[in-house]
Amino acid sequence: MSTPATATELSYAHGTGTTPLLGDTIGRSLARTVEAFGDREALVDVVSGRRWTYAEFGADVERLARGLMASGVDRGDRVGIWALNCPEWVLLQYATARIGAVMVTVNPAYRAHELEYVLNQAGISLLVASLTHRTSDYRAMVDQVRSACPALRSAHYIGDPTFDALTAAADSVTPGQLAAREAELSCDDPVNIQYTSGTTGFPKGATLSHHNILNNGYFVGELVSYTEQDRICLPVPFYHCFGMVMGNLAATTHGACIVIPCPSFEPAAVLTAVQRERCTSLYGVPTMFIAELNLPDFASWDLSSLRTGIMAGSPCPAEVMKRVVAEMHMAQVSICYGMTETSPVSTQTRVDDDLERRTGTVGRVMPHLEVKVVDPVTGVTVPRGEPGELRTRGYSVMLGYWDQPERTAEVVDAGRWMHTGDLAVMREDGYVQIVGRIKDMIIRGGENVYPREIEEFLHTHPKIADVQVVGVPDERYGEEILACVIPRDRADPPTLEELTAHCRERLAHYKIPRALRILTEFPMTVSGKVRKIELREGYGA
């Protein structure tokens, strides 16, 4: 629980708890789970039908770890993974952790020039990749950039003899040699580099330790009451913290089962996996849940096994949350808030929170973390109920951006507070509301307008499936309000006049959108956040 407000009611909260932080490496944590739950299912790949018990999973992780050592991967070396969700992705995550390598997650959507940047910036020496996906030929792109990436010694492709060679090489490294390597490792060692989606320029590599992500995954799982009985459907990408930390590490620290429904998100495949595997938990960003709920035959799937799940990536519209609880049987669904640089979760709703807290907030501070809301100019903590920048501190804050100390210093201050860039309000009860990004706040004729408030209200319009609100240049007011709408029925989208009439009774006049764009989808970052900068730039296009 978070500590009570001080006499001055400042927007500060410290998450306490009776369960101590884990002091393990990821490898030692997995070994304990294998010992305790060896005969329970650890991993299911619905598409291929492959299944692993924890004993089988642990054995395959060990073999891959020894194969990586035989291939010359030393402690601290960077190993890249450029692939869609698949069992080999998960095996590599734990195998690299066991040998002290740093796994670098690469977005499968990257093109050759983006791949080249990451290979060089992180100094990746060994790369594991998919062969193809849609229009992407991964081997061809690797061949295209290889001469410009001197650190890259070898590339291995899933489903290809080059990947099989990795595990075949394991015979030249003994289990004792692997154990000796593991004995050298510290929980504070870097274990993962995740490239954050920048709005300008190239992304930065957030460097995370065993301690960062193992604990964050564990406590996310604790707060949704995971046990070895749970089966977690993960349609969210593994190359981001949502999949590999909140999903995979939350599962393996509790003996739960990871269910991979499809390589990349397909709403019908997700619901089929939940039904077939009797999943108890389902993850997604709000747009994923919206896509599932809007399937014409949604009611035909049996989702009665679900009890919980996690929504994150961007704030969840209240109307969507209500449907998820009522129609998907996810009475204990949890909202999580965070960012890659904080491993990722800082606040989370609890399973016994009422619907108002789970629809109106992003929860309260996680155990062993601190959050505060400050004036973004002065850095002074504001009173509860007032908006400001959300900052967080504790075990979850990244080690830094890989090889970019100046960029690290821009967001992590001398007190080790991470500056999130998010506008938030801490309520009297300690629960946090995200009201937007500092850079997304609209200033219309001197009035501060928070897009989140307008978006929440527009979600109550019967013709709107999803909506994003942005500010666009205006000669008279400086900025004007634009609503970007995905309609429920493309043949019958809402008109600006209908939106205006809908808003007039409930919103102040300066908050009513003055422009409307009808879209089929929103531009998204790798972490599931809508790229509002592209919506602004596309206005009038």
Side-chain angles (χ1 to χ4, degrees):
M1 59 180 291
S2 56
T3 53
T6 63
T8 52
E9 300 293 341
L10 293 179
S11 298
Y12 168 88
H14 172 213
T16 60
T18 57
T19 304
L21 288 168
L22 306 176
D24 292 328
T25 61
I26 289 170
R28 285 195 288 269
S29 172
L30 178 62
R32 268 202 297 276
T33 300
V34 168
E35 182 177 359
F37 304 112
D39 60 346
R40 296 199 65 85
E41 276 195 327
L43 179 62
V44 174
D45 182 45
V46 174
V47 173
S48 69
R50 291 179 291 168
R51 296 173 180 272
W52 286 257
T53 64
Y54 265 102
E56 293 165 341
F57 181 72
D60 281 1
V61 166
E62 175 167 330
R63 186 158 183 81
L64 183 54
R66 288 160 51 202
L68 290 169
M69 288 178 63
S71 301
V73 178
D74 291 327
R75 178 183 178 184
D77 284 357
R78 273 76 67 204
V79 174
I81 175 70
W82 190 31
L84 301 165
N85 287 13
C86 62
E88 290 80 6
W89 207 111
V90 186
L91 292 168
L92 189 74
Q93 175 182 348
Y94 290 85
T96 50
R98 285 197 63 179
I99 65 172
V102 181
M103 186 174 73
V104 184
T105 56
V106 185
N107 185 344
Y110 275 1
R111 310 309 295 170
H113 75 283
E114 296 162 313
L115 172 66
E116 179 183 337
Y117 171 80
V118 169
L119 289 172
N120 284 324
Q121 206 280 324
I124 292 171
S125 61
L126 184 147
L127 178 68
V128 173
S130 297
L131 280 166
T132 60
H133 175 60
R134 294 177 180 162
T135 61
S136 295
D137 183 333
Y138 292 104
R139 195 199 301 264
M141 283 190 275
V142 172
D143 290 344
Q144 179 182 338
V145 304
R146 198 160 187 169
S147 62
C149 302
L152 184 63
R153 293 187 289 100
S154 62
H156 306 263
Y157 299 93
I158 297 167
D160 182 80
T162 55
F163 184 82
D164 298 336
L166 274 180
T167 52
D171 292 335
S172 62
V173 172
T174 68
Q177 288 172 302
L178 173 59
R181 171 74 68 85
E182 286 193 275
E184 301 172 355
L185 306 182
S186 162
C187 66
D188 293 318
D189 290 341
V191 74
N192 178 221
I193 297 174
Q194 300 218 6
Y195 280 86
T196 63
S197 46
T199 54
T200 58
F202 283 105
K204 305 175 292 293
T207 307
L208 306 171
S209 69
H210 293 258
H211 195 64
N212 286 150
I213 63 176
L214 181 66
N215 277 290
N216 205 257
Y218 173 69
F219 280 102
V220 165
E222 285 288 284
L223 293 186
V224 290
S225 304
Y226 281 154
T227 72
E228 71 277 9
Q229 303 293 327
D230 281 292
R231 300 173 68 78
I232 309 168
C233 184
L234 294 179
V236 294
F238 289 154
Y239 63 83
H240 183 257
C241 280
F242 199 173
M244 67 167 288
V245 178
M246 299 158 67
N248 295 345
L249 286 169
T252 59
T253 52
H254 292 86
C257 180
I258 298 163
V259 176
I260 305 174
C262 39
S264 59
F265 177 68
E266 298 173 28
V270 171
L271 299 186
T272 298
V274 170
Q275 175 177 279
R276 183 179 301 168
E277 295 297 326
R278 305 303 294 161
C279 294
T280 60
S281 178
L282 173 61
Y283 285 18
V285 298
T287 53
M288 289 181 176
F289 284 98
I290 290 168
E292 291 154 8
L293 288 163
N294 286 344
L295 286 170
D297 53 350
F298 167 77
S300 68
W301 277 279
D302 178 5
L303 308 179
S304 59
S305 59
L306 288 173
R307 70 163 180 88
T308 188
I310 292 176
M311 275 199 218
S314 59
C316 176
E319 293 304 309
V320 175
M321 171 63 87
K322 290 172 184 175
R323 288 194 67 196
V324 166
V325 170
E327 299 174 39
M328 300 182 81
H329 306 281
M330 295 168 60
Q332 297 181 348
V333 65
S334 181
I335 291 285
C336 290
Y337 161 82
M339 59 194 307
T340 304
E341 291 89 338
T342 56
S343 305
V345 180
S346 297
T347 68
Q348 183 174 351
T349 59
R350 294 356 187 215
V351 293
D352 57 350
D353 279 342
D354 58 26
L355 192 61
E356 186 278 327
R357 286 191 171 99
R358 280 189 278 132
T359 58
T361 80
V362 292
R364 52 191 168 95
V365 64
M366 294 275 285
H368 306 292
L369 294 178
E370 298 170 89
V371 295
K372 64 179 179 179
V373 179
V374 306
D375 182 307
V377 176
T378 66
V380 174
T381 305
V382 301
R384 293 200 178 188
E386 290 190 13
E389 184 188 18
L390 185 66
R391 297 183 182 176
T392 186
R393 179 168 69 178
Y395 75 82
S396 68
V397 176
M398 66 175 178
L399 299 177
Y401 293 125
W402 183 262
D403 202 26
Q404 291 184 302
E406 299 84 5
R407 301 299 296 275
T408 304
E410 292 172 4
V411 295
V412 182
D413 62 30
R416 290 292 296 167
W417 286 97
M418 178 73 207
H419 297 207
T420 68
D422 283 319
L423 283 167
V425 173
M426 184 179 292
R427 308 190 320 185
E428 293 294 334
D429 60 6
Y431 281 73
V432 175
Q433 296 170 312
I434 302 298
V435 295
R437 294 284 290 171
I438 290 175
K439 63 187 178 185
D440 289 340
M441 186 175 70
I442 302 167
I443 304 177
R444 181 190 183 276
E447 297 277 7
N448 289 351
V449 178
Y450 300 102
R452 181 78 195 131
E453 177 189 2
I454 305 170
E455 290 163 358
E456 282 283 354
F457 179 68
L458 289 179
H459 263 282
T460 64
H461 193 287
K463 288 188 176 183
I464 292 177
D466 204 357
V467 58
Q468 296 290 323
V469 170
V470 297
V472 293
D474 181 78
E475 288 187 6
R476 181 177 180 186
Y477 292 103
E479 283 188 290
E480 197 49 276
I481 299 169
L482 165 68
C484 300
V485 167
I486 297 176
R488 290 190 183 276
D489 181 355
R490 294 182 187 179
D492 185 26
T495 65
L496 182 59
E497 291 73 21
E498 287 174 322
L499 289 195
T500 301
H502 185 69
C503 294
R504 191 173 289 125
E505 295 296 317
R506 296 283 299 276
L507 293 180
H509 70 90
Y510 64 86
K511 299 178 183 178
I512 298 175
R514 298 311 198 272
L516 171 67
R517 289 181 70 200
I518 302 297
L519 301 173
T520 57
E521 61 182 8
F522 298 133
M524 308 290 282
T525 70
V526 298
S527 58
K529 294 182 175 67
V530 175
R531 289 180 60 86
K532 290 198 170 186
I533 189 171
E534 291 189 20
L535 295 178
R536 282 191 291 267
E537 290 172 348
Y539 177 60

